[in-house]
Amino acid sequence: MPTPVRFYQGNEIVAHAAIAAGCKFYAGYPITPSSEIAAEMSKLLPLNGGSFIQMEDEIAAMGAVIGGSLAGAKSLTASSGPGISLKQEHIGFACIAEVPVVIVNVMRGGPSTGLPTAPSQSDIMQSRWGTHGDHPIIALTPAFPMEIFTETVRAFNLSEQFRTPVLLLLDEVIGHLSTGLALPSADELEIIDRIPPSVPPDEYYPYDVSKGDVPPMANYFEGYNFHVTGLSHDRTGFPSNNPDLVHEDQVRQHRKIDANIHKIEKWEEFQLDDAEIGIFAFGTSGRAAMDAVNRARAEGIKVGLLRPLTIWPFPDRAINEKLGKMKTIIVPEMNLGQSILEVRRVLGPKFDIRGVHKVGGVPIHPREVLAAIREAAK
């Protein structure tokens, strides 16, 4: 049965969802506006057989959750833009070493320390390209309280299923809004765990892809001793400079995501069936856009919203299928133009695509989106 209704902040919902997903380890360093996630995990993990560590800095926190995951514990860290910047080297390590971890970014204004207590959506490109090299990434963008819960659980599931880091992108508004909510019970959730090895320790290779693009993952301290490195490696985990092997392995790491995109992509359609004007928006801006669509519909304007819950891999298929026939696309986002670049990449330079951008630490109001809709409808 669901839990009794009580008030939760968005950040608190993340913590409760992580526990429901089976998270047993958190390492982090407090930073506004994400700190409530760490505070809640410090209370919940000891009660649920897990461990919490406040590390000395963000870099150490990211290293610790990688270690926790290698030891077999589903692991979580949370931060905000400046902290995520510090974590990038280790996020890259988790990518090449294929270590499942979930990283929450409660976005705030930047660059640098920027606007510590104000919302932003300016880390969209950082979440995709923040660490160097060719690597796939999965990033999710919930907007509503129950979505925060279900997408946090999904973040853990995707991370375990594909042996990859997954980012969960909130913003200060989403993270701090309080809502009365009954959380789902464990038996209502699908929980996915990493694929364990089917061979004894002396026959195990940590990057054996002979049976699929996602290699089975053993846990340390269970008799399986193997090498993990940030260097390109062969199936044993030891470094390799073999050009053909390195190329094939990086292609394989992309393929394990690309070939399963249907299991990863997720979006919501709102009033799109007869729409002539389309909106692409996520998170807080997606909520404002939904209100603006209702107001515009009341004026007789045919407009609809495509709201991605998976922002990376970018929803190319949904944009082509759902927005490709609109006369105008509007992209509201709390940055100076990031996801709009991807929408333009998908639809091409001749498409009428207009942005509504704001970076002052104040959310985009529905009336600002409505003004753009009215202008497009002329």
Side-chain angles (χ1 to χ4, degrees):
M1 294 180 61
T3 63
V5 175
R6 56 155 282 202
F7 275 96
Y8 297 93
Q9 279 191 3
N11 284 342
E12 294 172 331
I13 296 172
V14 170
H16 285 268
I19 296 297
C23 178
K24 294 296 183 186
F25 182 66
Y26 181 99
Y29 183 80
I31 179 171
T32 305
S34 74
S35 298
E36 294 84 3
I37 298 174
E40 198 71 4
M41 291 300 283
S42 72
K43 294 182 285 187
L44 294 175
L45 274 170
L47 299 174
N48 289 276
S51 299
F52 173 95
I53 301 179
Q54 179 174 319
M55 299 300 290
E56 67 267 35
D57 58 38
E58 299 280 6
I59 302 170
M62 191 64 216
V65 294
I66 291 171
S69 181
L70 287 168
K74 291 184 181 180
S75 298
L76 172 72
T77 189
S79 188
S80 186
I84 299 295
S85 294
L86 293 171
K87 292 179 187 294
Q88 290 297 340
E89 182 177 357
H90 278 158
I91 292 174
F93 182 96
C95 288
I96 196 169
E98 299 181 72
V99 180
V101 290
V102 175
I103 305 146
V104 184
N105 181 357
V106 187
M107 294 183 284
R108 74 188 205 188
S112 189
T113 41
L115 290 169
T117 58
S120 172
Q121 295 176 316
S122 55
D123 297 343
I124 294 302
M125 288 301 176
Q126 182 205 43
S127 67
R128 177 64 189 91
W129 302 110
T131 191
H132 69 283
D134 286 312
H135 62 88
I137 202 75
I138 298 173
L140 312 180
T141 52
F144 296 93
M146 187 55 76
E147 272 184 6
I148 297 173
F149 189 93
T150 56
E151 291 304 287
T152 300
V153 172
R154 194 164 75 97
F156 276 95
N157 285 346
L158 293 172
S159 181
E160 294 284 315
Q161 186 174 8
F162 297 110
R163 272 191 74 167
T164 188
V166 173
L167 287 127
L168 186 74
L169 304 178
L170 310 183
D171 62 60
E172 186 276 335
V173 172
I174 301 292
H176 283 159
L177 273 178
S178 290
T179 307
L181 199 64
L183 300 179
S185 60
D187 58 5
E188 296 177 271
L189 303 172
E190 180 190 17
I191 302 298
I192 297 175
D193 299 321
R194 63 194 64 175
I195 303 169
S198 59
V199 297
D202 59 345
E203 297 177 16
Y204 176 67
Y205 296 105
Y207 300 100
D208 179 5
V209 293
S210 60
K211 296 182 180 177
D213 286 332
V214 183
M217 185 173 180
N219 302 325
Y220 279 136
F221 313 116
E222 294 180 356
Y224 291 84
N225 300 314
F226 55 94
H227 192 78
V228 177
T229 175
L231 294 165
S232 293
H233 44 260
D234 59 21
R235 67 174 182 167
T236 68
F238 282 94
S240 172
N241 290 326
N242 182 311
D244 293 337
L245 187 151
V246 171
H247 178 86
E248 175 54 31
D249 196 55
Q250 291 204 14
V251 170
R252 189 264 308 167
Q253 290 193 36
H254 277 268
R255 187 172 61 231
K256 75 177 180 180
I257 300 300
D258 295 341
N260 291 287
I261 188 75
H262 60 288
K263 299 178 182 177
I264 299 168
E265 61 185 4
K266 188 177 178 183
W267 64 83
E268 182 190 65
E269 303 171 30
F270 183 65
Q271 304 272 26
L272 277 175
D273 287 346
D274 63 342
E276 298 171 351
I277 299 169
I279 301 176
F280 180 86
F282 58 91
T284 297
S285 298
R287 294 175 62 142
M290 187 173 290
D291 189 89
V293 167
N294 284 330
R295 298 184 191 205
R297 286 274 173 178
E299 298 177 11
I301 302 174
K302 293 182 178 180
V303 59
L305 168 67
L306 178 66
R307 187 171 64 84
L309 292 168
T310 303
I311 196 78
W312 299 116
F314 204 71
D316 292 21
R317 183 170 69 88
I319 289 172
N320 270 316
E321 291 179 2
K322 307 301 178 182
L323 302 181
K325 294 181 180 179
M326 306 287 176
K327 71 170 189 177
T328 301
I329 307 297
I330 298 168
V331 184
E333 51 185 337
M334 286 187 288
N335 55 53
L336 291 179
Q338 295 193 17
S339 70
I340 193 172
L341 300 174
E342 288 294 300
V343 176
R344 285 183 173 136
R345 174 187 62 78
V346 174
L347 294 176
K350 294 182 179 179
F351 217 93
D352 182 11
I353 302 172
R354 308 176 185 187
V356 178
H357 306 298
K358 203 170 184 180
V359 291
V362 179
I364 294 173
H365 195 280
R367 64 173 174 267
E368 296 174 280
V369 184
L370 180 60
I373 295 171
R374 288 170 175 158
E375 184 64 28
K378 289 180 179 176

